[in-house]
mmCIF file of all heavy atoms in Angstrom:
data_model
loop_
_atom_site.group_PDB
_atom_site.id
_atom_site.type_symbol
_atom_site.label_atom_id
_atom_site.label_comp_id
_atom_site.label_asym_id
_atom_site.label_seq_id
_atom_site.Cartn_x
_atom_site.Cartn_y
_atom_site.Cartn_z
ATOM 1 N N GLY A 159 -18.058 -3.501 -61.573
ATOM 2 C CA GLY A 159 -17.461 -3.386 -62.897
ATOM 3 C C GLY A 159 -16.196 -4.184 -62.949
ATOM 4 O O GLY A 159 -15.838 -4.677 -64.042
ATOM 5 N N ILE A 160 -15.480 -4.294 -62.009
ATOM 6 C CA ILE A 160 -14.188 -5.028 -61.952
ATOM 7 C C ILE A 160 -14.511 -6.485 -62.316
ATOM 8 O O ILE A 160 -13.578 -7.155 -62.963
ATOM 9 C CB ILE A 160 -13.550 -4.998 -60.469
ATOM 10 C CG1 ILE A 160 -13.082 -3.640 -60.073
ATOM 11 C CG2 ILE A 160 -12.349 -6.093 -60.414
ATOM 12 C CD1 ILE A 160 -12.575 -3.550 -58.661
ATOM 13 N N LEU A 161 -15.619 -7.037 -62.037
ATOM 14 C CA LEU A 161 -15.821 -8.481 -62.149
ATOM 15 C C LEU A 161 -16.117 -8.877 -63.598
ATOM 16 O O LEU A 161 -16.250 -10.044 -63.893
ATOM 17 C CB LEU A 161 -17.006 -8.880 -61.292
ATOM 18 C CG LEU A 161 -16.854 -8.581 -59.822
ATOM 19 C CD1 LEU A 161 -18.104 -8.894 -58.984
ATOM 20 C CD2 LEU A 161 -15.671 -9.338 -59.205
ATOM 21 N N PHE A 162 -16.239 -7.840 -64.498
ATOM 22 C CA PHE A 162 -16.678 -8.240 -65.879
ATOM 23 C C PHE A 162 -15.566 -7.775 -66.806
ATOM 24 O O PHE A 162 -15.106 -6.577 -66.759
ATOM 25 C CB PHE A 162 -17.955 -7.623 -66.199
ATOM 26 C CG PHE A 162 -19.116 -8.064 -65.416
ATOM 27 C CD1 PHE A 162 -19.503 -7.351 -64.288
ATOM 28 C CD2 PHE A 162 -19.752 -9.355 -65.655
ATOM 29 C CE1 PHE A 162 -20.551 -7.803 -63.433
ATOM 30 C CE2 PHE A 162 -20.773 -9.755 -64.911
ATOM 31 C CZ PHE A 162 -21.217 -8.990 -63.732
ATOM 32 N N THR A 163 -15.193 -8.584 -67.812
ATOM 33 C CA THR A 163 -14.106 -8.227 -68.684
ATOM 34 C C THR A 163 -14.338 -6.990 -69.464
ATOM 35 O O THR A 163 -13.450 -6.153 -69.632
ATOM 36 C CB THR A 163 -13.913 -9.442 -69.711
ATOM 37 O OG1 THR A 163 -13.713 -10.606 -68.920
ATOM 38 C CG2 THR A 163 -12.769 -9.129 -70.645
ATOM 39 N N GLN A 164 -15.581 -6.758 -69.876
ATOM 40 C CA GLN A 164 -15.979 -5.578 -70.710
ATOM 41 C C GLN A 164 -15.795 -4.318 -69.954
ATOM 42 O O GLN A 164 -15.597 -3.214 -70.518
ATOM 43 C CB GLN A 164 -17.450 -5.731 -71.277
ATOM 44 C CG GLN A 164 -17.692 -6.967 -72.086
ATOM 45 C CD GLN A 164 -18.126 -8.196 -71.196
ATOM 46 O OE1 GLN A 164 -17.870 -8.165 -70.000
ATOM 47 N NE2 GLN A 164 -18.693 -9.112 -71.784
ATOM 48 N N THR A 165 -15.935 -4.337 -68.543
ATOM 49 C CA THR A 165 -15.953 -3.111 -67.761
ATOM 50 C C THR A 165 -14.782 -2.951 -66.812
ATOM 51 O O THR A 165 -14.659 -2.010 -66.153
ATOM 52 C CB THR A 165 -17.261 -2.917 -67.028
ATOM 53 O OG1 THR A 165 -17.459 -4.219 -66.189
ATOM 54 C CG2 THR A 165 -18.440 -2.772 -67.910
ATOM 55 N N LYS A 166 -13.940 -3.949 -66.873
ATOM 56 C CA LYS A 166 -12.873 -3.944 -65.853
ATOM 57 C C LYS A 166 -11.924 -2.952 -65.869
ATOM 58 O O LYS A 166 -11.573 -2.305 -64.887
ATOM 59 C CB LYS A 166 -12.139 -5.351 -66.056
ATOM 60 C CG LYS A 166 -11.043 -5.531 -65.005
ATOM 61 C CD LYS A 166 -10.385 -6.956 -65.082
ATOM 62 C CE LYS A 166 -8.922 -6.864 -65.161
ATOM 63 N NZ LYS A 166 -8.155 -7.994 -65.461
ATOM 64 N N ALA A 167 -11.418 -2.498 -67.108
ATOM 65 C CA ALA A 167 -10.506 -1.436 -67.258
ATOM 66 C C ALA A 167 -11.065 -0.066 -66.841
ATOM 67 O O ALA A 167 -10.464 0.632 -66.138
ATOM 68 C CB ALA A 167 -10.067 -1.248 -68.761
ATOM 69 N N ILE A 168 -12.305 0.156 -67.197
ATOM 70 C CA ILE A 168 -12.878 1.524 -66.820
ATOM 71 C C ILE A 168 -13.110 1.479 -65.299
ATOM 72 O O ILE A 168 -13.047 2.500 -64.626
ATOM 73 C CB ILE A 168 -14.122 1.873 -67.661
ATOM 74 C CG1 ILE A 168 -14.500 3.396 -67.398
ATOM 75 C CG2 ILE A 168 -15.317 1.024 -67.272
ATOM 76 C CD1 ILE A 168 -15.247 3.957 -68.453
ATOM 77 N N ALA A 169 -13.521 0.349 -64.863
ATOM 78 C CA ALA A 169 -13.767 0.191 -63.310
ATOM 79 C C ALA A 169 -12.486 0.431 -62.534
ATOM 80 O O ALA A 169 -12.457 1.165 -61.524
ATOM 81 C CB ALA A 169 -14.386 -1.116 -62.957
ATOM 82 N N ILE A 170 -11.353 -0.132 -63.060
ATOM 83 C CA ILE A 170 -10.034 0.151 -62.328
ATOM 84 C C ILE A 170 -9.649 1.494 -62.309
ATOM 85 O O ILE A 170 -9.204 2.088 -61.396
ATOM 86 C CB ILE A 170 -9.090 -0.852 -62.972
ATOM 87 C CG1 ILE A 170 -9.381 -2.325 -62.797
ATOM 88 C CG2 ILE A 170 -7.602 -0.539 -62.483
ATOM 89 C CD1 ILE A 170 -9.240 -2.813 -61.315
ATOM 90 N N TRP A 171 -9.755 2.099 -63.549
ATOM 91 C CA TRP A 171 -9.417 3.570 -63.577
ATOM 92 C C TRP A 171 -10.384 4.431 -62.881
ATOM 93 O O TRP A 171 -9.852 5.448 -62.146
ATOM 94 C CB TRP A 171 -9.494 3.991 -65.126
ATOM 95 C CG TRP A 171 -8.154 3.634 -65.844
ATOM 96 C CD1 TRP A 171 -8.118 2.767 -66.805
ATOM 97 C CD2 TRP A 171 -6.868 4.155 -65.517
ATOM 98 N NE1 TRP A 171 -6.731 2.626 -67.260
ATOM 99 C CE2 TRP A 171 -6.005 3.567 -66.418
ATOM 100 C CE3 TRP A 171 -6.318 5.096 -64.657
ATOM 101 C CZ2 TRP A 171 -4.641 3.721 -66.484
ATOM 102 C CZ3 TRP A 171 -4.994 5.380 -64.712
ATOM 103 C CH2 TRP A 171 -4.151 4.651 -65.527
ATOM 104 N N SER A 172 -11.611 4.053 -62.737
ATOM 105 C CA SER A 172 -12.552 4.770 -61.770
ATOM 106 C C SER A 172 -12.069 4.683 -60.403
ATOM 107 O O SER A 172 -12.096 5.698 -59.685
ATOM 108 C CB SER A 172 -14.027 4.163 -61.945
ATOM 109 O OG SER A 172 -14.397 4.423 -63.250
ATOM 110 N N ILE A 173 -11.695 3.483 -60.042
ATOM 111 C CA ILE A 173 -11.117 3.346 -58.615
ATOM 112 C C ILE A 173 -9.951 4.162 -58.308
ATOM 113 O O ILE A 173 -9.918 4.836 -57.247
ATOM 114 C CB ILE A 173 -10.916 1.779 -58.280
ATOM 115 C CG1 ILE A 173 -12.217 1.089 -58.077
ATOM 116 C CG2 ILE A 173 -10.056 1.667 -57.156
ATOM 117 C CD1 ILE A 173 -12.175 -0.417 -57.994
ATOM 118 N N ILE A 174 -9.008 4.068 -59.244
ATOM 119 C CA ILE A 174 -7.837 5.000 -59.105
ATOM 120 C C ILE A 174 -8.178 6.458 -59.025
ATOM 121 O O ILE A 174 -7.755 7.148 -58.125
ATOM 122 C CB ILE A 174 -6.814 4.696 -60.306
ATOM 123 C CG1 ILE A 174 -6.303 3.324 -60.120
ATOM 124 C CG2 ILE A 174 -5.730 5.709 -60.312
ATOM 125 C CD1 ILE A 174 -5.519 2.746 -61.298
ATOM 126 N N ILE A 175 -9.096 6.922 -59.870
ATOM 127 C CA ILE A 175 -9.416 8.322 -59.839
ATOM 128 C C ILE A 175 -10.148 8.603 -58.498
ATOM 129 O O ILE A 175 -9.870 9.723 -57.960
ATOM 130 C CB ILE A 175 -10.404 8.643 -60.992
ATOM 131 C CG1 ILE A 175 -9.473 8.667 -62.363
ATOM 132 C CG2 ILE A 175 -11.055 10.021 -60.796
ATOM 133 C CD1 ILE A 175 -10.299 8.536 -63.608
ATOM 134 N N MET A 176 -11.066 7.740 -57.991
ATOM 135 C CA MET A 176 -11.769 8.017 -56.714
ATOM 136 C C MET A 176 -10.786 8.093 -55.704
ATOM 137 O O MET A 176 -10.781 8.969 -54.733
ATOM 138 C CB MET A 176 -12.760 6.884 -56.451
ATOM 139 C CG MET A 176 -14.090 7.067 -57.163
ATOM 140 S SD MET A 176 -15.323 5.983 -56.718
ATOM 141 C CE MET A 176 -14.829 4.437 -57.431
ATOM 142 N N LEU A 177 -9.800 7.198 -55.571
ATOM 143 C CA LEU A 177 -8.762 7.177 -54.517
ATOM 144 C C LEU A 177 -7.969 8.461 -54.494
ATOM 145 O O LEU A 177 -7.641 8.997 -53.390
ATOM 146 C CB LEU A 177 -7.942 5.932 -54.669
ATOM 147 C CG LEU A 177 -8.473 4.590 -54.289
ATOM 148 C CD1 LEU A 177 -7.681 3.475 -54.692
ATOM 149 C CD2 LEU A 177 -8.888 4.532 -52.812
ATOM 150 N N VAL A 178 -7.613 8.895 -55.662
ATOM 151 C CA VAL A 178 -6.921 10.244 -55.728
ATOM 152 C C VAL A 178 -7.800 11.400 -55.254
ATOM 153 O O VAL A 178 -7.375 12.204 -54.555
ATOM 154 C CB VAL A 178 -6.441 10.513 -57.177
ATOM 155 C CG1 VAL A 178 -5.951 11.943 -57.331
ATOM 156 C CG2 VAL A 178 -5.322 9.500 -57.570
ATOM 157 N N LEU A 179 -9.136 11.392 -55.699
ATOM 158 C CA LEU A 179 -10.001 12.376 -55.242
ATOM 159 C C LEU A 179 -10.322 12.378 -53.799
ATOM 160 O O LEU A 179 -10.673 13.333 -53.161
ATOM 161 C CB LEU A 179 -11.364 12.300 -56.038
ATOM 162 C CG LEU A 179 -11.219 12.610 -57.461
ATOM 163 C CD1 LEU A 179 -12.658 12.330 -58.167
ATOM 164 C CD2 LEU A 179 -10.821 14.095 -57.720
ATOM 165 N N PHE A 180 -10.074 11.207 -53.169
ATOM 166 C CA PHE A 180 -10.435 11.070 -51.694
ATOM 167 C C PHE A 180 -9.205 11.572 -50.812
ATOM 168 O O PHE A 180 -9.301 11.623 -49.610
ATOM 169 C CB PHE A 180 -10.831 9.615 -51.318
ATOM 170 C CG PHE A 180 -11.994 9.159 -51.917
ATOM 171 C CD1 PHE A 180 -12.246 7.726 -51.948
ATOM 172 C CD2 PHE A 180 -13.018 9.911 -52.348
ATOM 173 C CE1 PHE A 180 -13.424 7.224 -52.538
ATOM 174 C CE2 PHE A 180 -14.169 9.436 -52.860
ATOM 175 C CZ PHE A 180 -14.346 8.100 -52.941
ATOM 176 N N PHE A 181 -8.120 11.807 -51.389
ATOM 177 C CA PHE A 181 -6.909 12.350 -50.652
ATOM 178 C C PHE A 181 -7.245 13.623 -49.809
ATOM 179 O O PHE A 181 -6.896 13.557 -48.713
ATOM 180 C CB PHE A 181 -5.738 12.623 -51.572
ATOM 181 C CG PHE A 181 -4.751 11.544 -51.755
ATOM 182 C CD1 PHE A 181 -4.680 10.951 -53.101
ATOM 183 C CD2 PHE A 181 -4.036 10.927 -50.794
ATOM 184 C CE1 PHE A 181 -3.849 9.929 -53.328
ATOM 185 C CE2 PHE A 181 -3.265 9.847 -51.027
ATOM 186 C CZ PHE A 181 -3.165 9.283 -52.328
ATOM 187 N N PRO A 182 -7.979 14.618 -50.358
ATOM 188 C CA PRO A 182 -8.276 15.676 -49.467
ATOM 189 C C PRO A 182 -9.105 15.372 -48.232
ATOM 190 O O PRO A 182 -8.901 16.022 -47.200
ATOM 191 C CB PRO A 182 -9.079 16.606 -50.386
ATOM 192 C CG PRO A 182 -8.604 16.265 -51.789
ATOM 193 C CD PRO A 182 -8.394 14.792 -51.676
ATOM 194 N N VAL A 183 -9.950 14.308 -48.307
ATOM 195 C CA VAL A 183 -10.713 13.913 -47.101
ATOM 196 C C VAL A 183 -9.818 13.362 -46.176
ATOM 197 O O VAL A 183 -9.916 13.673 -44.940
ATOM 198 C CB VAL A 183 -11.774 12.865 -47.579
ATOM 199 C CG1 VAL A 183 -12.426 12.232 -46.348
ATOM 200 C CG2 VAL A 183 -12.829 13.441 -48.550
ATOM 201 N N HIS A 184 -8.836 12.611 -46.496
ATOM 202 C CA HIS A 184 -7.887 11.918 -45.586
ATOM 203 C C HIS A 184 -6.945 13.053 -45.019
ATOM 204 O O HIS A 184 -6.680 12.997 -43.753
ATOM 205 C CB HIS A 184 -7.040 10.802 -46.229
ATOM 206 C CG HIS A 184 -7.892 9.661 -46.524
ATOM 207 N ND1 HIS A 184 -8.374 8.776 -45.590
ATOM 208 C CD2 HIS A 184 -8.404 9.166 -47.749
ATOM 209 C CE1 HIS A 184 -9.130 7.814 -46.155
ATOM 210 N NE2 HIS A 184 -9.136 8.071 -47.467
ATOM 211 N N ILE A 185 -6.583 13.989 -45.727
ATOM 212 C CA ILE A 185 -5.763 15.147 -45.266
ATOM 213 C C ILE A 185 -6.576 15.935 -44.269
ATOM 214 O O ILE A 185 -6.104 16.388 -43.157
ATOM 215 C CB ILE A 185 -5.187 15.949 -46.359
ATOM 216 C CG1 ILE A 185 -4.179 15.122 -47.172
ATOM 217 C CG2 ILE A 185 -4.622 17.223 -45.871
ATOM 218 C CD1 ILE A 185 -3.788 15.664 -48.454
ATOM 219 N N HIS A 186 -7.837 16.201 -44.630
ATOM 220 C CA HIS A 186 -8.734 16.946 -43.734
ATOM 221 C C HIS A 186 -8.922 16.217 -42.369
ATOM 222 O O HIS A 186 -8.867 16.732 -41.199
ATOM 223 C CB HIS A 186 -10.102 17.086 -44.356
ATOM 224 C CG HIS A 186 -11.162 17.926 -43.629
ATOM 225 N ND1 HIS A 186 -10.972 19.146 -43.205
ATOM 226 C CD2 HIS A 186 -12.284 17.372 -43.141
ATOM 227 C CE1 HIS A 186 -12.083 19.447 -42.499
ATOM 228 N NE2 HIS A 186 -12.853 18.485 -42.465
ATOM 229 N N MET A 187 -9.031 14.865 -42.484
ATOM 230 C CA MET A 187 -9.186 14.133 -41.143
ATOM 231 C C MET A 187 -7.881 14.140 -40.353
ATOM 232 O O MET A 187 -8.008 14.213 -39.168
ATOM 233 C CB MET A 187 -9.436 12.651 -41.552
ATOM 234 C CG MET A 187 -10.836 12.341 -42.050
ATOM 235 S SD MET A 187 -11.078 10.610 -42.421
ATOM 236 C CE MET A 187 -11.194 10.000 -40.796
ATOM 237 N N LEU A 188 -6.811 14.313 -41.034
ATOM 238 C CA LEU A 188 -5.491 14.359 -40.287
ATOM 239 C C LEU A 188 -5.320 15.703 -39.639
ATOM 240 O O LEU A 188 -4.852 15.778 -38.536
ATOM 241 C CB LEU A 188 -4.309 14.119 -41.236
ATOM 242 C CG LEU A 188 -3.011 14.003 -40.788
ATOM 243 C CD1 LEU A 188 -2.851 12.782 -39.769
ATOM 244 C CD2 LEU A 188 -2.000 13.794 -41.929
ATOM 245 N N ILE A 189 -5.812 16.783 -40.218
ATOM 246 C CA ILE A 189 -5.531 18.160 -39.653
ATOM 247 C C ILE A 189 -6.692 18.757 -38.919
ATOM 248 O O ILE A 189 -6.466 19.745 -38.297
ATOM 249 C CB ILE A 189 -5.032 19.138 -40.816
ATOM 250 C CG1 ILE A 189 -6.083 19.296 -41.864
ATOM 251 C CG2 ILE A 189 -3.732 18.631 -41.418
ATOM 252 C CD1 ILE A 189 -5.829 20.335 -42.937
ATOM 253 N N ASN A 190 -7.833 18.132 -38.975
ATOM 254 C CA ASN A 190 -9.011 18.711 -38.336
ATOM 255 C C ASN A 190 -9.504 17.583 -37.251
ATOM 256 O O ASN A 190 -9.896 16.537 -37.669
ATOM 257 C CB ASN A 190 -10.132 18.872 -39.351
ATOM 258 C CG ASN A 190 -11.392 19.457 -38.720
ATOM 259 O OD1 ASN A 190 -11.975 18.898 -37.760
ATOM 260 N ND2 ASN A 190 -11.734 20.612 -39.171
ATOM 261 N N LYS A 191 -9.350 17.988 -36.001
ATOM 262 C CA LYS A 191 -9.609 16.993 -34.917
ATOM 263 C C LYS A 191 -10.993 16.406 -34.960
ATOM 264 O O LYS A 191 -11.207 15.207 -34.810
ATOM 265 C CB LYS A 191 -9.362 17.725 -33.541
ATOM 266 C CG LYS A 191 -9.382 16.871 -32.378
ATOM 267 C CD LYS A 191 -8.912 17.542 -31.129
ATOM 268 C CE LYS A 191 -8.893 16.635 -29.954
ATOM 269 N NZ LYS A 191 -7.637 16.086 -29.666
ATOM 270 N N LYS A 192 -12.077 17.300 -35.225
ATOM 271 C CA LYS A 192 -13.412 16.811 -35.298
ATOM 272 C C LYS A 192 -13.607 15.827 -36.420
ATOM 273 O O LYS A 192 -14.161 14.769 -36.231
ATOM 274 C CB LYS A 192 -14.367 17.974 -35.360
ATOM 275 C CG LYS A 192 -15.742 17.509 -35.287
ATOM 276 C CD LYS A 192 -16.748 18.707 -35.424
ATOM 277 C CE LYS A 192 -18.154 18.337 -35.407
ATOM 278 N NZ LYS A 192 -19.204 19.467 -35.583
ATOM 279 N N ALA A 193 -13.025 16.120 -37.576
ATOM 280 C CA ALA A 193 -13.127 15.206 -38.699
ATOM 281 C C ALA A 193 -12.292 13.960 -38.562
ATOM 282 O O ALA A 193 -12.612 12.963 -39.117
ATOM 283 C CB ALA A 193 -12.654 15.956 -40.031
ATOM 284 N N GLY A 194 -11.345 14.106 -37.675
ATOM 285 C CA GLY A 194 -10.469 12.889 -37.461
ATOM 286 C C GLY A 194 -11.065 11.801 -36.528
ATOM 287 O O GLY A 194 -10.563 10.776 -36.315
ATOM 288 N N LEU A 195 -12.351 12.091 -36.188
ATOM 289 C CA LEU A 195 -13.136 11.155 -35.431
ATOM 290 C C LEU A 195 -12.405 10.599 -34.182
ATOM 291 O O LEU A 195 -12.618 9.349 -33.733
ATOM 292 C CB LEU A 195 -13.480 9.954 -36.276
ATOM 293 C CG LEU A 195 -14.201 10.249 -37.584
ATOM 294 C CD1 LEU A 195 -14.335 9.072 -38.469
ATOM 295 C CD2 LEU A 195 -15.615 10.975 -37.354
ATOM 296 N N ASN A 196 -11.543 11.391 -33.611
ATOM 297 C CA ASN A 196 -10.821 10.949 -32.380
ATOM 298 C C ASN A 196 -9.833 9.853 -32.628
ATOM 299 O O ASN A 196 -9.497 9.156 -31.662
ATOM 300 C CB ASN A 196 -11.723 10.788 -31.194
ATOM 301 C CG ASN A 196 -12.412 12.054 -30.762
ATOM 302 O OD1 ASN A 196 -11.724 13.186 -30.743
ATOM 303 N ND2 ASN A 196 -13.641 11.922 -30.432
ATOM 304 N N LEU A 197 -9.565 9.502 -33.807
ATOM 305 C CA LEU A 197 -8.660 8.483 -34.138
ATOM 306 C C LEU A 197 -7.230 8.902 -33.841
ATOM 307 O O LEU A 197 -6.943 10.090 -34.117
ATOM 308 C CB LEU A 197 -8.714 8.035 -35.594
ATOM 309 C CG LEU A 197 -10.181 7.330 -35.967
ATOM 310 C CD1 LEU A 197 -10.204 7.074 -37.415
ATOM 311 C CD2 LEU A 197 -10.191 5.927 -35.225
ATOM 312 N N PRO A 198 -6.285 8.067 -33.343
ATOM 313 C CA PRO A 198 -4.944 8.511 -33.144
ATOM 314 C C PRO A 198 -4.244 8.998 -34.492
ATOM 315 O O PRO A 198 -4.598 8.370 -35.615
ATOM 316 C CB PRO A 198 -4.310 7.260 -32.669
ATOM 317 C CG PRO A 198 -5.329 6.415 -32.253
ATOM 318 C CD PRO A 198 -6.649 6.723 -33.005
ATOM 319 N N LYS A 199 -3.423 9.861 -34.407
ATOM 320 C CA LYS A 199 -2.659 10.410 -35.642
ATOM 321 C C LYS A 199 -2.060 9.284 -36.358
ATOM 322 O O LYS A 199 -2.129 9.278 -37.645
ATOM 323 C CB LYS A 199 -1.695 11.508 -35.190
ATOM 324 C CG LYS A 199 -2.211 12.720 -34.748
ATOM 325 C CD LYS A 199 -2.616 13.633 -35.941
ATOM 326 C CE LYS A 199 -3.009 14.952 -35.313
ATOM 327 N NZ LYS A 199 -3.870 15.849 -36.291
ATOM 328 N N PRO A 200 -1.284 8.315 -35.741
ATOM 329 C CA PRO A 200 -0.648 7.212 -36.590
ATOM 330 C C PRO A 200 -1.784 6.428 -37.458
ATOM 331 O O PRO A 200 -1.504 6.041 -38.517
ATOM 332 C CB PRO A 200 -0.132 6.315 -35.427
ATOM 333 C CG PRO A 200 0.157 7.188 -34.287
ATOM 334 C CD PRO A 200 -1.025 8.205 -34.412
#
Side-chain angles (χ1 to χ4, degrees):
I160 290 172
L161 302 174
F162 300 96
T163 306
Q164 302 88 339
T165 56
K166 183 174 133 187
I168 194 157
I170 294 293
W171 279 112
S172 297
I173 285 172
I174 292 169
I175 290 167
M176 280 189 283
L177 289 169
V178 169
L179 291 174
F180 295 161
F181 271 114
V183 172
H184 291 286
I185 292 168
H186 178 67
M187 289 180 74
L188 187 61
I189 61 175
N190 183 299
K191 189 171 182 97
K192 185 178 178 184
L195 307 173
N196 295 319
L197 293 170
K199 290 278 187 199

